Amino acid sequence: MLAILVWSAQGTGASLKAFAEGVPQMLAYFQKLSPSHKPWPLDYLPEIKDRLLETVKISFAATVIGAALALPFVMVATRPLAANGFVYTLGRGFLNLIRTIPDLVLANILVAGFGLGPLPGLLALIIFTFGVVTKLLADTIETVDAGPMEAIAAAGGTRLQRAVFAIFPQIAPDYIAYSLYALEINVRVAAVLGLVGAGGIGQILYRDINFFMYSRVGMIIAATFVVVFLIDSTSSWLRSKLV
Amino acid sequence: MSAIEQANRFTRPSRTGGETARLVIYLVLSLAVLAWAFSGLEVSRERVLRGLPQMASLFKEMFFPPDWSYTPKVLTGLRESLQIAALGTAIAAVLALPFGALAARNLIPLRGVPFVGKTLLNMIRTFPELVLALVFIKALGPGPFAGVLAVGFHSIGMIGKLYAERIETVDKNALEALAAAGASPLEVFRYGVVPEVLPDFLSFALYRFDLNVRAATVLGLVGAGGIGTLIQFQINNDWPKVGTILVGIIITVGLVDFISAKFRSRLA
């Protein structure tokens, strides 16, 4: 393991020396971002608010749509519900494939197809949410109590009836918890989607950073922090109540 | 009573009024969220329809066939991403130790400390890696080192929280016995906590490594090293090369997931 780390340090140019040399520069940079260096331009707040709202909207919409798409897909991605082994393998394979594509790479490519703006970001996050929620849900369903399902099967129930009456009631709290979990990730990703032109607060962050607008950058980072922190805390508190 | 109703009755009380009401509330809530989220969002059906054929043709350009001659460069980029993820995870796994200990409710007798520790961890995790990377790049210059620091800093939040939650499940009696035998708090930690939690701690770090490999593939989009650098170069420029990059990322991330899951199931 140590060998891997040494090799990694050489490959990335990381060293304690580089870090020690960087610390004063970092402190100087943070100094410039803070309002004590130069008062923050409060007239910039409306634009920050609009962009942050866009970020929040993208993440909420993507979570609801992605999670809704996940529900029917478990019919092919879980062993107890899939029609046969072939469908199951195919469903799981598809799921694993889309889960390996990093969200921002996906957003970047979707920007090329759909143009700049929140649309490609929204689509990327829908796909991502769908992947996460389906995966977690499918894993849960495979460990769920099989008794009710067998009862329905014995009574001549179809696959859909088995899912709706035996499985979904058992996994409902998990389903909501997984959706909230996806929301927490989505808010963070939606905050940086703008770096590849896919809408939200990241767009003005990237612009202002590159134009050395220190006070604006400080403000954007602080505002993003507050919003992400609030959504994240609320959501994980809700999750702790659920399970 | 139909067979389904019977089966339903057999497994749980029949659908109560409260349950149906809750279902309706969730549905209405979801629809309200959707309606609000789409209000004022620049998303139109027409743009979706216009984009789809364009995506299809991009897809064809990327994968039929990818530019295999680009493979050596892709491998170098992937190697750098793996290195960023490995080093960043290792840094976080070590730095998270004190945070995890402070945030665990059963180690520190003062009630305020674990709360402060947990809040601190939540705050660390709030900053997305890419925002951190941007800031580190401005302060240190572009390159993979900025990526390592971004991944390392961000990961402390999640790893520290998992550490704390695991420490909280350690048997309290054993710790009290050690303390009663005259062990200092540090010794209690070293001999009472560490041996029991170590395998799980490794497992948490491995899990975070999975996530960090994904993160390290996009750091290059802002100049913080790894395979993302190549994406940045080739996107909108040479699509078959982008196809090769994507194939490389999918295989790498899939392999890392698989191997890490194997290791973790052995640790558990």
Side-chain angles (χ1 to χ4, degrees):
Chain A
M1 205 145 84
L2 213 59
I4 293 177
L5 293 181
V6 170
W7 171 70
S8 301
Q10 281 168 349
T12 54
S15 70
L16 278 177
K17 191 165 154 274
F19 182 69
E21 282 169 3
V23 168
Q25 287 170 55
M26 266 190 273
L27 289 178
Y29 188 76
F30 287 130
Q31 181 82 56
K32 282 189 205 157
L33 299 185
S34 84
S36 60
H37 173 71
K38 206 173 117 198
W40 281 352
L42 290 178
D43 56 340
Y44 195 47
L45 266 179
E47 189 170 355
I48 293 183
K49 196 198 89 191
D50 285 350
R51 287 302 178 169
L52 263 177
L53 213 58
E54 189 171 79
T55 288
V56 175
K57 282 178 173 178
I58 292 174
S59 53
F60 275 57
T63 307
V64 174
I65 298 175
L69 292 175
L71 217 44
F73 197 76
V74 296
M75 295 297 296
V76 296
T78 52
R79 217 179 271 283
L81 291 178
N84 54 50
F86 180 70
V87 170
Y88 170 76
T89 312
L90 219 63
R92 275 283 169 154
F94 175 71
L95 205 55
N96 286 333
L97 183 73
I98 57 170
R99 281 186 357 104
T100 56
I101 306 170
D103 30 32
L104 252 94
V105 173
L106 191 60
N108 207 350
I109 292 170
L110 290 171
V111 165
F114 290 94
L116 295 170
L119 177 62
L122 177 71
L123 293 175
L125 285 188
I126 288 175
I127 295 172
F128 171 77
T129 308
F130 166 76
V132 174
V133 176
T134 314
K135 167 79 165 62
L136 292 171
L137 210 55
D139 288 350
T140 309
I141 288 174
E142 296 194 339
T143 61
V144 117
D145 177 18
M149 210 166 37
E150 281 158 10
I152 291 179
T158 62
R159 282 196 300 129
L160 192 65
Q161 284 170 330
R162 263 181 275 165
V164 172
F165 294 107
I167 300 218
F168 291 167
Q170 290 189 68
I171 58 161
D174 299 283
Y175 175 62
I176 297 167
Y178 298 151
S179 307
L180 287 171
Y181 172 68
L183 174 71
E184 288 159 38
I185 305 174
N186 283 343
V187 177
R188 276 194 200 84
V189 180
V192 294
L193 280 173
L195 303 181
V196 296
I201 188 80
Q203 218 145 314
I204 57 174
L205 172 67
Y206 202 33
R207 184 193 66 199
D208 291 345
I209 270 193
N210 287 331
F211 285 115
F212 302 98
M213 317 277 268
Y214 297 108
S215 311
R216 285 182 168 197
V217 171
M219 250 174 116
I220 294 174
I221 291 181
T224 311
F225 177 84
V226 171
V227 170
V228 175
F229 187 74
L230 282 180
I231 294 177
D232 195 76
S233 314
T234 314
S235 168
S236 44
W237 175 79
L238 277 175
R239 274 199 294 145
S240 72
K241 296 271 147 203
L242 273 168
V243 255
Chain B
M1 191 184 285
S2 78
I4 295 299
E5 275 169 304
Q6 247 165 9
N8 213 11
R9 179 142 302 186
F10 168 65
T11 59
R12 63 194 180 94
S14 62
R15 192 175 282 273
T16 58
E19 211 174 310
T20 313
R22 206 180 308 158
L23 200 71
V24 171
I25 291 174
Y26 281 140
L27 257 175
V28 170
L29 210 65
S30 305
L31 289 176
V33 167
L34 261 190
W36 172 76
F38 274 107
S39 64
L41 205 61
E42 286 170 60
V43 174
S44 68
R45 217 171 67 108
E46 175 229 1
R47 272 190 72 181
V48 176
L49 293 179
R50 206 151 21 98
L52 283 175
Q54 236 161 320
M55 276 315 299
S57 77
L58 278 185
F59 192 80
K60 223 178 106 194
E61 252 190 277
M62 281 193 282
F63 296 114
F64 296 97
D67 181 355
W68 297 122
S69 72
Y70 199 53
T71 308
K73 282 217 139 184
V74 169
L75 288 178
T76 314
L78 285 169
R79 192 186 67 200
E80 197 170 84
S81 281
L82 286 173
Q83 289 172 326
I84 292 171
L87 203 57
T89 309
I91 291 173
V94 174
L95 291 183
L97 283 172
F99 284 101
L102 284 180
R105 258 176 314 208
N106 55 342
L107 283 188
I108 311 284
L110 294 167
R111 288 186 72 193
V113 176
F115 177 75
V116 172
K118 285 216 168 87
T119 310
L120 215 59
L121 286 171
N122 280 339
M123 288 170 82
I124 291 177
R125 172 174 105 93
T126 298
F127 290 107
E129 285 110 340
L130 276 177
V131 173
L132 290 171
L134 274 174
V135 172
F136 285 135
I137 285 169
K138 286 298 153 186
L140 303 168
F145 184 44
V148 170
L149 291 181
V151 166
F153 185 82
H154 178 82
S155 307
I156 293 174
M158 183 198 204
I159 299 183
K161 190 166 170 236
L162 290 171
Y163 281 0
E165 281 164 3
R166 177 62 185 87
I167 293 174
E168 279 170 2
T169 63
V170 170
D171 182 15
K172 205 169 178 191
N173 292 329
L175 300 185
E176 276 164 6
L178 273 173
S184 72
L186 212 61
E187 280 168 334
V188 170
F189 185 71
R190 169 71 187 81
Y191 297 104
V193 177
V194 171
E196 189 185 322
V197 298
L198 205 57
D200 288 320
F201 278 20
L202 273 178
S203 171
F204 298 151
L206 268 174
Y207 173 60
R208 187 64 224 187
F209 177 67
D210 285 7
L211 300 179
N212 284 344
V213 170
R214 284 185 175 79
T217 59
V218 297
L219 287 170
L221 296 175
V222 297
I227 185 90
T229 318
L230 301 180
I231 302 180
Q232 183 78 331
F233 279 144
Q234 302 301 352
I235 212 152
N236 288 322
N237 174 31
D238 191 336
W239 286 103
K241 288 197 168 103
V242 178
T244 321
I245 297 170
L246 274 181
V247 171
I249 290 179
I250 289 170
I251 293 175
T252 307
V253 172
L255 267 180
V256 168
D257 269 7
F258 179 76
I259 295 170
S260 150
K262 273 267 171 317
F263 268 114
R264 277 185 283 142
S265 70
R266 199 169 301 171
L267 281 170

